[in-house]
Amino acid sequence: MTLCIAAACQDRGKPRIIIGTDWKAGTGEATSEVQDKLCWASDCVPVLIAGNVSRAKQFADTLKEYLIHLSKQTPPVVIEEYKAVDHIHKVVALFKGKLAEEYVSMKLGIGYKAFREAVGRSEIPSSIATQTFNEIARIDLECSVIVCIFQGKKSANIFRVDTEGAVHTCDHFAAIGTGSTIAEGKTTGEDSAIITRKTMASFAMRWDDLSLRLSLVPGKEVLRSLRERIQATLSVSLTDAKIVDAIRKDEIAPELVLLVQNLEAFRAAPVQ
């Protein structure tokens, strides 16, 4: 289980936020306590991360860039409490723009802006343009974060950003990670039966969808167990080469095919 929490409190009348994180990192076959899940966008803006660590750190970096941009304005922009959530929304939009740029560059080999301009000039078939825009709309952040913002000595705010990019203002407490449902239940005083029911409902929703079900299980561990079972029952060694040989072309994700094609084109391109 992974868990990051932030809880608002006061120390002698001054606003404070207590934060805590696990350090668990896993590769599927093994886990270890080696992953720092606390980032700093500035001296007074800690960011707790969960999910895809690389994506979460990219989000924290985007927030840091945004705060630096505000500080360089004339005069420097100070985040006021009632406008704090608007600033977080802007950071989410900036980060989604980066994800769209990355996706279009990988798929078409051009930037997102160039893609939109090409669509406007009808240089890209409408079917491809529509498909690409739909795929961009479905991109999620692959991570969730908790952002804590202090406004001097007057107030402290806690915001939670989920994987879809929705920003939640949390009055007193926020939790992310696989253990967040349990943690949030404890803060509301719910008994273990209600917490278990909510956890199972959340699990069942993901388990009923095959694509989401695969995201719940550790891939390498499942493959290792499958290999052991086949070896024990059928005396067949299931090697990586055999798995690759058995994959059909229509089972390979289009994005992966395009990526390999682009890499091959880059490899074969003449040196300038």
Side-chain angles (χ1 to χ4, degrees):
M1 182 178 73
T2 62
L3 181 63
C4 298
I5 62 172
C9 63
Q10 287 194 342
D11 177 22
R12 300 174 186 176
K14 297 179 181 180
R16 297 288 187 266
I17 297 176
I18 298 174
I19 58 177
T21 78
D22 69 281
W23 281 67
K24 183 173 289 185
T27 61
E29 294 184 354
T31 60
S32 58
E33 303 289 333
V34 298
Q35 181 61 62
D36 187 1
K37 298 182 180 180
L38 171 61
C39 303
W40 291 90
S42 76
D43 291 341
C44 58
V45 182
V47 181
L48 310 181
I49 63 177
N52 185 315
V53 174
S54 177
R55 286 293 191 217
K57 288 187 174 181
Q58 289 173 8
F59 180 91
D61 288 341
T62 302
L63 175 57
K64 183 176 182 178
E65 293 168 0
Y66 179 77
L67 295 176
I68 291 174
H69 169 73
L70 294 184
S71 69
K72 291 183 177 180
Q73 300 302 300
T74 306
V77 177
V78 177
I79 297 179
E80 300 179 48
E81 182 176 5
Y82 69 97
K83 290 185 178 180
V85 66
D86 295 331
H87 288 285
I88 302 299
H89 278 296
K90 290 179 181 179
V91 174
V92 171
L94 289 171
F95 186 56
K96 283 190 172 183
K98 290 183 177 182
L99 296 180
E101 178 75 20
E102 177 186 282
Y103 178 79
V104 173
S105 297
M106 183 180 70
K107 180 176 181 178
L108 302 176
I110 60 175
Y112 185 42
K113 181 180 178 181
F115 164 72
R116 288 184 289 130
E117 292 174 346
V119 171
R121 295 192 296 267
S122 300
E123 296 175 354
I124 294 179
S126 59
S127 59
I128 294 178
T130 300
Q131 179 186 14
T132 302
F133 280 126
N134 288 337
E135 291 167 349
I136 290 172
R138 290 194 295 269
I139 294 176
D140 65 23
L141 306 190
E142 300 180 37
C143 64
S144 53
V145 302
I146 295 174
V147 180
C148 306
I149 300 180
F150 287 87
Q151 282 84 29
K153 299 179 180 180
K154 297 180 179 180
S155 64
N157 300 104
I158 301 174
F159 301 98
R160 177 173 59 85
V161 182
D162 63 28
T163 56
E164 295 182 354
V167 180
H168 306 267
T169 301
C170 307
D171 292 333
H172 305 292
F173 179 84
I176 55 176
T178 58
S180 59
T181 301
I182 298 175
E184 290 171 348
K186 290 294 186 182
T187 63
T188 60
E190 295 176 340
D191 62 37
S192 58
I194 295 176
I195 294 173
T196 300
R197 187 162 61 249
K198 287 186 175 180
T199 302
M200 292 304 298
S202 176
F203 175 82
M205 180 183 68
R206 291 171 172 80
W207 193 257
D208 290 341
D209 186 319
L210 180 59
S211 62
L212 296 178
R213 182 188 306 176
L214 295 176
S215 69
L216 290 174
V217 299
K220 290 184 179 180
E221 186 173 338
V222 170
L223 181 58
R224 183 188 62 188
S225 299
L226 177 62
R227 283 171 163 160
E228 292 173 352
R229 178 65 64 87
I230 291 177
Q231 178 68 39
T233 58
L234 303 176
S235 298
V236 175
S237 179
L238 189 62
T239 64
D240 291 341
K242 289 182 179 179
I243 294 174
V244 172
D245 289 342
I247 295 176
R248 300 193 306 270
K249 184 177 180 180
D250 59 0
E251 294 176 329
I252 303 175
E255 294 85 357
L256 182 58
V257 173
L258 184 61
L259 175 60
V260 173
Q261 291 174 341
N262 289 338
L263 289 174
E264 174 61 20
F266 177 76
R267 183 198 66 81
V271 178
Q272 299 295 329

